[in-house]
Amino acid sequence: MSLDIKDLSFRYSKRAPLVLDNVSFSLNKGEIGVVLGKNGSGKTTLFKNVLGLVKPTGGSISFDGKDLSKVSRRERAGYIAYVPQNVEFGALSVFDTVLMGRMPYFGLRSGKEDEEKTYSVLNEMGLTDLASRNVEELSGGERQKAAIARAFAQEPELMVFDEPTGNLDIANEQLILNEAKRIAGEKGIGILTSLHDLNQALAIGDRFFFLKNGKLLHSGGKDIISKELIKEVFDADVSIIDHEGKMIVVNC
Ligand code: ADP
């Protein structure tokens, strides 16, 4: 087991309502877990708890048996990478931005291996031509890719992505999802991500966590997904069809 969330509750302030209410689930190494739910259901708040950006009101989050509330921010950054929805960068080149992902591995100066890793990730991500550009001058989608590349270069044990495909065109969506799937499988990295597109979720997810009003209504493999579940979680009417053995969700 790698990530274990147990009875997690969270409120932003003393008198505010619970935004996460008794959430429990686990994610194994090498698995992609997709958190799904309407806007405001608590997905980002769940990620902030896992990242230690906020402190749980109740319950616990552990990683490989270690209670994350007892681990320093720096130590946590060594094994968990986070790509938030809107990434803010300093005025660095794309190369240096991705190289920063290697920081947990080097002290003050990067080594040859860090630079080689950076080149290889830039290449896999189709970012080589942008390597010397200032990251602040890129389009939203290109910046998003650079942020994801930085997380890939970090080779953490767990990656947390908040809507990673939000700014991307369809080709880049496929690139990111395929790379995420490949990296999870080959390197045994756990990935916890939100995705608003159910078909993207079905394409890459191993485990699905459905949140509604901060409660985990359902969790499990693909087999739990049905039009009734989607109606319950999203208040939306859909059909689920079979296309060459793949489940496809269509609006209707
Ligand atoms: P999602 O990522 O699923 O859209 P969020 O986790 O962002 O949901 O939000 C869950 C709930 O927490 C919402 O009701 C939102 O208004 C509230 N919330 C989010 N951030 C804050 C904050 N910084 N302070 C107070 N309430 C917040």
Side-chain angles (χ1 to χ4, degrees), residues 40 63 73 78 91 95 105 148 173 194 200 204 219 223 225 240:
F63 190 74
R73 190 70 84 80
F95 182 86
Y105 298 93
I148 293 167
E173 245 173 53
S194 56
Q200 289 181 5
I204 66 157
S219 64
D223 50 310
I225 299 174
I240 297 185

Side-chain angles (χ1 to χ4, degrees), residues 175-214:
L175 177 81
I176 298 296
L177 296 177
N178 290 338
E179 278 298 293
K181 186 99 195 150
R182 185 180 71 77
I183 285 175
E186 280 178 12
K187 305 212 156 79
I189 293 171
I191 298 183
L192 187 64
T193 183
S194 56
L195 286 171
H196 66 258
D197 184 322
L198 282 159
N199 288 312
Q200 289 181 5
L202 280 164
I204 66 157
D206 299 302
R207 313 269 307 154
F208 301 88
F209 309 114
F210 288 95
L211 280 179
K212 188 168 189 179
N213 299 325

Side-chain angles (χ1 to χ4, degrees), residues 48-179:
K48 285 190 196 162
N49 276 270
V50 172
L51 271 303
L53 301 175
V54 296
K55 252 182 124 97
T57 307
S60 65
I61 305 174
S62 55
F63 190 74
D64 273 347
K66 264 192 258 179
D67 182 343
L68 283 183
S69 67
K70 304 203 164 85
V71 167
S72 70
R73 190 70 84 80
R74 196 185 155 84
E75 184 181 344
R76 192 186 300 234
Y79 47 80
I80 307 181
Y82 180 41
V83 181
Q85 264 180 58
N86 295 303
V87 201
E88 301 274 337
F89 288 118
L92 292 176
S93 69
V94 172
F95 182 86
D96 285 341
T97 299
V98 176
L99 183 65
M100 293 305 273
R102 303 292 303 166
M103 235 172 32
Y105 298 93
F106 59 80
L108 291 175
R109 295 182 67 176
S110 57
K112 197 159 178 260
E113 197 189 327
D114 302 306
E115 283 164 23
E116 278 167 10
K117 182 84 225 169
T118 301
Y119 279 121
S120 132
V121 172
L122 288 172
N123 185 35
E124 281 157 14
M125 299 284 288
L127 286 169
T128 309
D129 291 347
L130 298 179
S132 58
R133 289 269 302 277
N134 180 337
V135 81
E136 288 183 329
E137 292 167 7
L138 302 182
S139 75
E142 289 166 339
R143 264 207 308 274
Q144 184 83 1
K145 272 176 77 178
I148 293 167
R150 181 172 60 179
F152 286 162
Q154 186 179 333
E155 294 188 327
E157 293 177 43
L158 177 71
M159 288 194 245
V160 181
F161 292 148
D162 201 350
E163 301 280 1
T165 55
N167 285 318
L168 302 180
D169 60 50
I170 188 162
N172 279 317
E173 245 173 53
Q174 287 177 350
L175 177 81
I176 298 296
L177 296 177
N178 290 338
E179 278 298 293

Side-chain angles (χ1 to χ4, degrees), residues 12 19 38-45:
Y12 278 96
V19 172
K38 284 187 188 179
N39 298 331
S41 58
K43 302 179 293 296
T44 302
T45 305

